[in-house]
Amino acid sequence: MRGPYHMKGSQMEKRQEVDSEVAAAPPEETTSVKTKRRFKFSFPSAFTILFLLTIIAVIATHFVPAGAYSKIQYGVDGSKEFTLTQPTGETKTLPAEQKTLDDLGVKIEIDKFTSGALTKPVSVPGTYQRLESKPAGPVDVFTSMVDGTIEAIDVIVFILVLGGMIGVVRVSGAFESGLVALTKKTKGREFVLIFLVSVFMVVGGSLCGLEEEAVAFYPILCPIFLAMGYDSIICVGAIFLAGSMGTTMSTVNPFSVVIASNAAGIPFTDGLWWRVIGCIVGGAVVIGYLHWYARKIKADPTFSYTYTDKEEFERQWKIPMDHTADGRFSWQKKVILVLFISAFVLMVIGVMKLGWWFPQMAASFLALTILMMFIAATGSERKNEKQLVDAFSAGSASLVAVSLIIGLARGINKILNDGQISDTMLEGATELVKGMHGPVFVIMMLFVFFLLGFVVPSSSGLAVLSMPILAPLADSVGVPRFVIVCAYQWGQYAMLYLAPTGLVMATLQMLDMKFSHWVRFVWPMVVFVLVFGGICLVLQTLIYGV
């Protein structure tokens, strides 16, 4: 039985040394020795980090001047005209013609708007205007959290339905039986699954930005990776990190490179081969990094960066494979597992081919969950209606914290937008890079997008905000605009591996992983993206620049 005196040899020696120090110390020193042991720094949780960032965002609205660019948008309220919104908030309609865009200095073809490729408001170059400050107050710290959660309701509902599905599958016993079968077949070849998952995520990220949707993969893969002897880092690495690397090196991702190219006024095929090469190199680097880490923890489990949280992670995700009713992998369990896996296949097809978003994904998951409930209610191991409903409720409840994290992150962005300081930061970045030439210009652009990625973590949002402003600067220094698109991708996503305002906090909360542990693991990949991206940008400038 583990108690206060159950320690390894080195731990006991250390305890004895401390006790002897306390006994030998004068009375006035005894308190200080005890204090050292009592007050040990613990890295704050995801909720605390986001709460502090919310306060910092509120303070920033008091010191950063407010300002905005004019924005132009096509098809507001179903109209066939442009709507121009001025910094003061005044709006007017303009004819949907190429001449309108040319007169405004927006170097984008009209068909990019009329075809639906650009649906969000696009910044108009040269229209930045300082505005009366709109500082947020103490009350906004709390209202932004609520408003951000309301804005993220589509994602939250999807996550809650996902949690309910997990609960139903677990109570059916399908997970246990499936894992027993899988671990027998993969004995000695465990990394093959990590490799396949990573390749899938890199390709999915590069083609369609498979990131937020990937939160659905953790419930099916975490128990498998645990059964194979891996840790929570491998789970996040194979899913989030690999998917993010694919999105960083996007080839035809419509939510980043395509919309950024459209907003820059160029075909998305410009610079495509550079992005293809980047995707291959980036994918190889991230898989090689995961292989190195996997071998290390296989040889010595204490090497794991999250070893101190191992028990908590296993309590949450490990499937107790010795408590099935009769150990049989019955047809009901097989069908439930097939339905469970098919939900994710259907999700990928829906996103890539049918234009699905979170409401449609949530509805498909809910339909399949109800079907699983009917199947689980049959056979010799059948569960009754109350067991299945309770399992769904408990599964949803387990992911409430993850849902709230997403809402809190959205709240930070809302404070920055309502305070009208995002455009001011963009204007400041524009002034910073003006007058620079060649390689220095593109390297500075890389770091500009790196910093803007924290303020605007949305890839499509940053594209339509910044590209019409920053892409024309490339013309003035003789650099092709596709180079700026590459700088946008590599800079912003290097930040999104770390930015608490992005998806990373929700992912870490889901796996109960400390942010400090994640930073320790991921920082080499951030450095790789910035260094590799910087080298590619300089080469592009030297080869194609005037």
Side-chain angles (χ1 to χ4, degrees):
M1 186 163 107
R2 188 175 295 273
Y5 301 103
H6 185 86
M7 303 179 186
K8 294 181 180 179
S10 60
Q11 292 174 318
M12 181 64 77
E13 291 172 5
K14 186 175 181 181
R15 177 62 179 270
Q16 289 172 347
E17 290 174 5
V18 173
D19 289 343
S20 63
E21 289 178 14
V22 174
E28 65 273 12
E29 295 180 10
T30 304
T31 303
S32 64
V33 174
K34 289 182 179 180
T35 302
K36 287 180 182 177
R37 289 183 10 232
R38 184 178 300 169
F39 296 102
K40 183 179 179 182
F41 175 76
S42 177
F43 200 85
S45 67
F47 280 98
T48 302
I49 292 172
L50 289 174
F51 180 71
L52 293 174
L53 287 175
T54 303
I55 295 174
I56 292 172
V58 168
I59 294 173
T61 62
H62 289 262
F63 295 96
V64 179
Y69 289 96
S70 295
K71 305 289 195 306
I72 189 168
Q73 186 175 9
Y74 174 79
V76 176
D77 296 329
S79 70
K80 300 295 183 182
E81 296 178 305
F82 283 125
T83 298
L84 180 68
T85 303
Q86 297 177 348
T88 56
E90 298 175 2
T91 62
K92 62 178 179 179
T93 57
L94 299 171
E97 302 171 354
Q98 186 64 50
K99 184 178 183 301
T100 300
L101 296 174
D102 294 340
D103 291 343
L104 291 172
V106 179
K107 299 182 182 300
I108 304 175
E109 297 297 325
I110 183 69
D111 65 291
K112 301 298 184 184
F113 290 92
T114 56
S115 66
L118 290 174
T119 57
K120 294 184 177 181
V122 172
S123 300
V124 178
T127 60
Y128 176 79
Q129 180 180 330
R130 285 285 181 89
L131 300 172
E132 184 179 349
S133 180
K134 292 185 177 180
V139 175
D140 294 307
V141 172
F142 308 102
T143 57
S144 68
M145 295 177 179
V146 176
D147 293 339
T149 303
I150 293 172
E151 285 186 7
I153 192 64
D154 55 346
V155 185
I156 291 173
V157 170
F158 170 72
I159 290 175
L160 295 179
V161 172
L162 170 64
M165 173 185 278
I166 297 166
V168 171
V169 176
R170 280 189 167 179
V171 79
S172 72
F175 261 143
E176 295 95 317
S177 300
L179 281 176
V180 169
L182 182 63
T183 50
K184 288 179 180 178
K185 292 183 178 181
T186 57
K187 189 69 174 177
R189 303 186 305 276
E190 291 88 353
F191 189 77
V192 172
L193 181 62
I194 296 176
F195 174 81
L196 294 175
V197 170
S198 300
V199 169
F200 172 77
M201 290 305 303
V202 169
V203 173
S206 183
L207 297 180
C208 64
L210 190 63
E211 283 187 301
E212 287 181 314
E213 302 87 350
V215 71
F217 296 141
Y218 292 105
I220 189 173
L221 291 173
C222 284
I224 295 174
F225 288 148
L226 267 178
M228 292 178 173
Y230 296 119
D231 66 352
S232 56
I233 289 283
I234 287 292
C235 297
V236 184
I239 300 173
F240 175 78
L241 179 59
S244 295
M245 182 62 75
T247 310
T248 303
M249 306 297 177
S250 291
T251 50
V252 295
N253 177 9
F255 306 109
S256 63
V257 66
V258 174
I259 196 169
S261 297
N262 288 337
I266 60 173
F268 75 88
T269 52
D270 285 5
L272 176 61
W273 284 109
W274 284 92
R275 301 195 299 269
V276 170
I277 293 170
C279 187
I280 294 171
V281 173
V285 168
V286 77
I287 291 172
Y289 188 47
L290 287 172
H291 185 256
W292 168 81
Y293 182 82
R295 288 184 62 185
K296 284 286 189 179
I297 62 174
K298 273 289 189 178
D300 178 14
T302 62
F303 177 82
S304 169
Y305 294 169
T306 58
Y307 187 73
T308 55
D309 301 323
K310 181 175 183 291
E311 292 183 2
E312 178 60 27
F313 182 68
E314 290 185 350
R315 183 194 65 78
Q316 181 181 2
W317 293 103
K318 194 169 186 178
I319 303 298
M321 294 184 286
D322 56 345
H323 296 297
T324 53
D326 58 11
R328 293 187 303 108
F329 196 12
S330 63
W331 71 265
Q332 288 96 340
K333 293 176 181 177
K334 291 178 181 177
V335 172
I336 288 173
L337 276 184
V338 168
L339 289 173
F340 183 63
I341 295 171
S342 68
F344 305 100
V345 177
L346 182 61
M347 179 191 74
V348 173
I349 295 173
V351 170
M352 295 182 67
K353 299 292 185 182
L354 305 176
W356 282 9
W357 200 233
F358 288 103
Q360 292 83 2
M361 290 189 288
S364 67
F365 274 44
L366 182 60
L368 289 172
T369 301
I370 293 173
L371 183 56
M372 291 177 198
M373 286 179 166
F374 280 111
I375 295 171
T378 64
S380 58
E381 301 176 49
R382 61 180 177 271
K383 307 296 179 183
N384 61 45
E385 177 266 345
K386 187 178 187 306
Q387 286 177 304
L388 293 170
V389 172
D390 287 348
F392 184 92
S393 299
S396 296
S398 68
L399 294 185
V400 167
V402 179
S403 304
L404 293 177
I405 286 292
I406 294 174
L408 293 180
R410 292 276 183 97
I412 296 172
N413 302 134
K414 190 175 190 305
I415 287 175
L416 297 177
N417 291 332
D418 290 349
Q420 295 185 315
I421 63 176
S422 299
D423 281 13
T424 299
M425 295 179 184
L426 176 59
E427 175 68 9
T430 304
E431 294 298 324
L432 178 66
V433 298
K434 275 183 179 177
M436 294 182 179
H437 297 284
V440 177
F441 171 77
V442 294
I443 292 298
M444 284 303 300
M445 290 296 294
L446 179 69
F447 284 99
V448 162
F449 282 114
F450 180 72
L451 297 175
L452 289 176
F454 184 90
V455 181
V456 187
S458 165
S459 57
S460 58
L462 183 58
V464 297
L465 173 68
S466 64
M467 277 299 145
I469 307 300
L470 296 177
L473 294 179
D475 301 338
S476 64
V477 297
V479 175
R481 292 191 176 194
F482 80 82
V483 179
I484 307 303
V485 173
C486 289
Y488 143 81
Q489 282 187 223
W490 300 332
Q492 183 193 33
Y493 275 94
M495 170 59 76
L496 293 185
Y497 293 150
L498 297 169
T501 50
L503 183 62
V504 65
M505 277 308 194
T507 301
L508 300 184
Q509 178 66 37
M510 190 170 191
L511 275 70
D512 199 21
M513 184 191 299
K514 291 184 176 66
F515 184 66
S516 56
H517 293 163
W518 172 246
V519 171
R520 182 185 175 191
F521 175 75
V522 82
W523 74 261
M525 293 295 100
V526 177
V527 173
F528 160 74
V529 171
L530 291 175
V531 172
F532 176 76
I535 292 172
C536 289
L537 291 173
V538 170
L539 289 176
Q540 290 169 346
T541 302
L542 295 176
I543 294 171
Y544 302 104
V546 176

